[in-house]
Amino acid sequence: MEEKQQFEVWKEDVQPALTSKVEEFHMLGYDRATEEELWECVIAKLRREKKLVQIHYLVSSILTLKATDYMTWLTVGAYKAPNWFSSDEELVFGGN
């Protein structure tokens, strides 16, 4: 029987690593990076793992996350988001 990952249980335990990584990204100029987004990015990557992930591997994944990997994850997420311009409705800007 396949075991399911329970990352949410560890979220509070790895909070210092998330905070550190967000501060690093802010120093690199990625001011809009948040702990929640970094958490979702790392978890999305780890969910593809075939084996059971242990907490030390989770912390390592957070601390070794590269800004380029984070930005790629954001870009892919933006492409997967619903298309605002797909409807036939006319967009109205300002007070027209």
Side-chain angles (χ1 to χ4, degrees), residues 77-90:
Y79 282 126
K80 289 182 178 179
N83 186 356
W84 292 4
F85 301 108
S86 65
S87 69
D88 293 334
E89 296 177 21
E90 184 178 329

Side-chain angles (χ1 to χ4, degrees), residues 30-94:
Y30 298 98
D31 296 331
R32 295 183 62 189
T34 65
E35 290 178 9
E36 190 60 35
E37 284 181 341
L38 288 178
W39 172 256
E40 290 174 17
C41 177
V42 170
I43 296 306
K45 176 183 170 187
L46 292 179
R47 287 198 194 283
R48 294 188 301 253
E49 294 285 327
K50 301 289 186 212
K51 61 183 182 203
L52 193 62
V53 174
Q54 297 179 357
I55 192 167
H56 63 84
Y57 190 76
L58 173 60
V59 172
S60 175
S61 297
I62 293 169
L63 294 177
T64 60
L65 180 66
K66 296 176 186 169
T68 54
D69 294 336
Y70 170 66
M71 294 305 293
T72 300
W73 177 80
L74 285 176
T75 303
V76 169
Y79 282 126
K80 289 182 178 179
N83 186 356
W84 292 4
F85 301 108
S86 65
S87 69
D88 293 334
E89 296 177 21
E90 184 178 329
L91 295 177
V92 178
F93 295 99

